[in-house]
């Protein structure tokens, strides 16, 4: 299947749902990204700053770039001028650094808190309690150059679809809890980033607003 065909397929899958398609282009060439771009895909996600920056520089400027991988504080400055959204905020100190660099660029950067929903030990993120405490803290509003737009999560890599569904449900209900209980200028809960090539269908059914699809669009890495 061509990239164009794969994109058509996913655009069909998300039609009349809450989900938007985020094309995960990590490890793939700028040629392949351009092919997707020419098929009218304008939102891409990368997981490494070192790979994202050269792609940003080489490719058309009307692309919005999302970061979905672990971000080190000392790399924030390289993406602050252009990044559309950071899905992988996993420490409060990282959020402070994003705020600082965004201020230097006179921008407000949209961020998602990455929440640990899987049973595997290897996945990054906050637990629900930590994430809630951070947003609820009275100092949080001082971060004027970031906006928390929602949450991101990765389900356990398993064949057990019931478990995956349960993990997505838990992320959705945490999202609702924050949305209903915490009202601050720099929090605007609209996004739930969940679902990848293997589990996007369940994620859409459970209310995902961003499915992050890599291999099912671009082929295996
Ligand atoms: C690589 C990656 C994806 C996409 O994975 P595929 O299985 O290729 O669709 C989604 N989310 C994150 C955080 C990733 O690192």
């Amino acid at each position: 299947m061509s990239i164009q065909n794969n994109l058509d397929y996913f655009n069909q899958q998300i039609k009349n749902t809450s989900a938007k398609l985020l094309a995960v282009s990590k490890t793939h060439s700028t040629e392949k990204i351009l092919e997707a771009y020419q098929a009218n895909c304008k939102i891409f996600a990368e997981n490494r700053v070192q790979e994202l920056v050269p792609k940003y520089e080489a490719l058309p400027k009307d692309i919005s770039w999302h970061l979905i991988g672990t971000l080190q504080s000392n790399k924030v400055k390289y993406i602050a001028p252009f990044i559309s959204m950071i899905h992988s905020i996993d420490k409060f100190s990282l959020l402070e650094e994003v705020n600082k660099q965004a201020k230097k660029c006179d921008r407000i950067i949209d961020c998602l808190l990455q929440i640990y929903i899987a049973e595997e030990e290897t996945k990054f993120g906050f637990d629900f309690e930590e994430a809630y405490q951070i947003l609820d803290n009275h100092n949080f509003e001082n971060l004027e150059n970031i906006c928390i737009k929602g949450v991101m999560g990765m389900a356990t890599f398993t064949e057990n679809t019931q478990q995956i569904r349960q993990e997505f449900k838990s992320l959705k209900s945490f999202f609702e809890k924050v949305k209903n209980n915490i009202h601050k200028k720099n929090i605007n809960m609209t996004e739930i980033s969940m679902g990848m090539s293997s589990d996007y269908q369940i994620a859409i059914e459970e209310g995902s607003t961003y499915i992050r699809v890599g291999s099912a669009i671009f082929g295996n890495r």
Side-chain angles (χ1 to χ4, degrees), residues 123-134:
K123 307 253 153 111
F124 292 89
F126 296 108
D127 63 35
F128 292 127
E129 190 59 29
E130 280 173 320
Y132 195 89
Q133 294 296 323
I134 283 170

Side-chain angles (χ1 to χ4, degrees), residues 106-130:
D106 198 20
R107 298 187 66 208
I108 292 176
I109 297 183
D110 290 340
C111 295
L112 306 181
L113 296 186
Q114 182 168 352
I115 313 283
Y116 177 90
I117 55 172
E119 81 181 2
E120 293 142 29
E121 296 272 315
T122 53
K123 307 253 153 111
F124 292 89
F126 296 108
D127 63 35
F128 292 127
E129 190 59 29
E130 280 173 320

Side-chain angles (χ1 to χ4, degrees), residues 1-12 14 21 23 30-44 59-60 62-63 217-218:
M1 288 289 255
S2 69
I3 289 175
Q4 163 95 64
N5 283 335
N6 295 338
L7 287 169
D8 289 346
Y9 173 81
F10 276 98
N11 283 321
Q12 200 57 41
I14 61 177
L21 178 63
T30 51
E31 286 73 22
K32 277 192 168 183
I33 298 174
L34 263 184
E35 196 180 325
Y37 175 84
Q38 270 140 16
N40 220 20
C41 176
K42 301 281 151 72
I43 319 182
F44 294 90
L59 286 160
D62 61 336
I63 289 178
I217 295 173
F218 294 104

Side-chain angles (χ1 to χ4, degrees), residues 24 26 47 68 152 154 195-198 212-216 221:
V24 179
K26 66 185 187 202
N47 69 335
I68 58 173
M152 184 270 235
M154 285 169 89
M196 323 188 357
S197 294
S198 57
R212 308 179 307 269
V213 182
S215 42
R221 288 182 291 273

